[in-house]
Structure formats: structure tokens, C-alpha cells
């Protein structure tokens, strides 16, 4: 069990640029989640996948955000035309498919917008 | 909508002593799970303990135990024999609904003093 892996750990970019983050879940986990965490707050749900299907998106996920999980394994989260308010830690988590299974988190990707 | 409230922003405890972290939640669901997660300064979120709402028995994991009061919608975490490595932010979270998204509280910063 290698755990949930996220890349990069830290991304610094200028306002208006596009960024893409990657998440590799624990191999046998078919559910994958993205959360956003701002300083001093708890994580907020963004979206989740069951295998390759994206089953729910939060209203926090504006049309500048898109997430994919093309083969039901790794996932990418892209932010287009970044804004100052996008600065946050983006956390990925995965779990087994049965309801109530605990979610295992990665180290996160910290996004800083200049 | 689900809400999780952690009203204490920070707490401090002497090493080897016991500390209790408070959490209240609100849900209209009959069945749900509650969690405590720990986030050390390295930022990876780690599961501490899980409680199923339909189980009356309080969950325990080594030095960690919960006091689950379903009628009061209260879910506190007790840490016994506190260790320096327990220093972290602790988040209370609820899980309801088929999509299994977690709703987090704002967290509490726990400092263990040597």
C-alpha cells in the first residue's frame, strides 16, 4: 500500500495561467475525491468519481475547474484562468466503494497565485 | 445540508495527560458515519477514528476514544496519555448520503507541551 500520491506538492503560477494537478489513488480504491482547503479551515468537497464516472460536483467547482479520471485510475484536476481566490491546498482522497469506508488522503498540492 | 461545528479553535495539554476535543453536527439522515482526522504540520490528513451512527458502543483506537451522544448530536474525541506526536490540527467530519462526501468542521489546533 503506497498511499495516495499527489503531484506536484507545490505550484506557483501567475494569475490567468492554467494549472493541472494529478492524483494517484490507492490501487484497489474505486472512489476518488477532490477537496479544497484554505488556511485555517477544514477541507471542502469539490467532486468525486466512482471508477471513471464523475458522480457529483460541488457548486464551488466553477466552469473554470474540470476534473477527469479517464481510466478509473489516476485523476487530474485542471484550473483554467487562475484567480487569486484559487490559492489553496488541493487534497485528493480515495476509498473503497462500500459506503462508510474511510477516505485516505494524499499530501495535497499547494497552489499559490502571484 | 450537513454541518459540523468545532467551537474550540485551539487547546493545549501537558504530555501524558488526557484531553477532550469537542464536536457537534447536524444532519437529517438516520444513518451516517462520523470521523476524526488528524493533520500534523506536514499536512497529510490521517484517519484517527470512525463511528457508525447506528452503533451505540463508542469507538476506541488505542489511546483515542470517542463519546458519541446521538440525541445531542455530539461527537467528542478523548486522547489519553497525550504524546508530543499528537500535536496537530484535528478535524471532525460527517459522512452522509450515497456519494460519501465528507463534511468537515473548521478544526482545532492541539498542542502537547513537554
Amino acid at each position: 500500500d503506497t498511499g495516495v500520491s499527489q503531484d506536484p506538492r507545490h505550484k506557483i503560477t501567475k494569475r490567468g495561467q492554467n494549472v493541472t494537478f494529478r492524483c494517484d489513488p490507492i490501487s484497489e480504491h474505486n472512489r476518488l475525491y477532490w477537496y479544497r482547503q484554505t488556511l485555517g479551515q477544514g477541507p471542502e468537497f469539490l467532486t468525486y468519481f466512482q471508477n471513471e464516472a464523475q458522480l457529483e460536483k460541488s457548486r464551488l467547482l466553477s466552469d473554470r475547474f474540470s476534473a477527469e479520471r479517464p481510466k478509473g485510475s489516476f485523476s487530474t484536476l485542471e484550473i483554467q484562468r487562475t484567480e487569486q481566490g484559487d490559492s489553496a491546498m488541493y487534497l485528493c482522497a480515495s476509498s473503497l466503494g462500500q459506503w462508510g469506508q474511510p477516505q485516505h488522503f494524499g499530501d495535497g498540492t499547494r497552489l499559490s497565485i502571484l | 445540508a450537513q454541518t459540523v461545528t468545532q467551537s474550540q479553535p485551539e487547546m493545549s495539554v501537558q504530555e501524558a495527560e488526557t484531553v477532550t476535543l469537542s464536536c457537534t453536527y447536524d444532519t437529517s439522515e438516520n444513518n451516517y458515519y462520523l470521523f476524526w482526522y488528524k493533520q500534523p504540520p506536514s499536512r497529510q490528513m490521517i484517519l484517527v477514528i470512525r463511528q457508525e451512527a447506528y452503533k451505540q458502543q463508542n469507538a476506541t483506537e488505542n489511546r483515542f476514544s470517542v463519546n458519541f451522544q446521538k440525541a445531542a448530536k455530539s461527537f467528542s474525541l478523548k486522547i489519553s496519555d497525550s504524546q508530543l506526536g499528537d500535536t496537530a490540527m484535528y478535524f471532525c467530519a460527517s459522512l452522509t448520503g450515497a456519494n460519501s462526501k465528507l463534511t468537515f468542521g473548521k478544526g482545532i489546533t492541539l498542542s502537547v507541551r513537554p
Side-chain angles (χ1 to χ4, degrees):
Chain A
D1 181 357
T2 57
V4 178
S5 176
Q6 291 188 247
D7 184 68
R9 289 293 304 275
H10 198 175
K11 179 70 176 180
I12 303 172
T13 192
K14 293 182 179 180
R15 185 165 54 93
Q17 297 295 306
N18 299 343
V19 294
T20 300
F21 312 140
R22 177 179 169 124
C23 172
D24 287 88
I26 294 171
S27 57
E28 63 267 27
H29 287 181
N30 55 3
R31 288 194 173 192
L32 186 147
Y33 304 81
W34 286 99
Y35 293 85
R36 182 174 69 185
Q37 185 179 23
T38 54
L39 199 61
Q41 301 294 318
E44 295 174 292
F45 169 79
L46 292 178
T47 189
Y48 106 101
F49 293 84
Q50 172 95 14
N51 299 312
E52 67 276 9
Q54 187 174 17
L55 297 184
E56 183 170 345
K57 295 195 295 185
S58 163
R59 64 179 182 275
L60 293 175
L61 216 64
S62 75
D63 56 5
R64 296 185 298 106
F65 288 70
S66 63
E68 294 182 343
R69 195 182 183 198
K71 296 182 180 179
S73 56
F74 73 92
S75 175
T76 58
L77 178 67
E78 180 183 15
I79 309 174
Q80 296 182 328
R81 305 181 303 280
T82 53
E83 301 173 355
Q84 288 285 347
D86 297 332
S87 294
M89 177 74 84
Y90 290 84
L91 297 171
C92 177
S94 69
S95 75
L96 294 170
Q98 296 88 353
W99 187 67
Q101 289 295 314
Q103 295 177 24
H104 299 265
F105 285 81
D107 288 336
T109 293
R110 178 168 295 285
L111 175 63
S112 300
I113 307 297
L114 301 178
Chain B
Q2 324 303 323
T3 59
V4 176
T5 303
Q6 295 180 253
S7 56
Q8 308 156 302
E10 54 185 80
M11 290 190 72
S12 180
V13 64
Q14 193 76 33
E15 192 176 9
E17 293 188 346
T18 295
V19 64
T20 298
L21 311 181
S22 302
C23 172
T24 58
Y25 62 94
D26 191 18
T27 179
S28 57
E29 303 286 335
N30 288 325
N31 201 11
Y32 50 90
Y33 284 82
L34 298 167
F35 300 84
W36 278 96
Y37 278 88
K38 168 185 177 182
Q39 193 174 38
S42 65
R43 304 294 286 182
Q44 185 179 51
M45 196 84 68
I46 301 166
L47 176 68
V48 175
I49 201 164
R50 177 180 71 159
Q51 175 78 43
E52 299 169 83
Y54 63 87
K55 286 191 175 180
Q56 292 186 338
Q57 186 174 7
N58 289 324
T60 63
E61 287 287 342
N62 301 313
R63 298 183 296 108
F64 299 89
S65 62
V66 298
N67 182 5
F68 175 45
Q69 301 290 327
K70 191 171 184 178
K73 294 184 178 176
S74 170
F75 183 60
S76 61
L77 175 70
K78 185 172 81 171
I79 306 174
S80 304
D81 185 26
S82 297
Q83 300 176 359
L84 297 179
D86 295 333
T87 293
M89 279 203 75
Y90 286 80
F91 292 95
C92 179
S94 68
L95 187 153
T96 58
N99 58 20
S100 295
K101 68 179 182 184
L102 289 167
T103 300
F104 286 87
K106 287 188 174 182
I108 177 171
T109 301
L110 176 67
S111 300
V112 180
R113 306 185 305 273

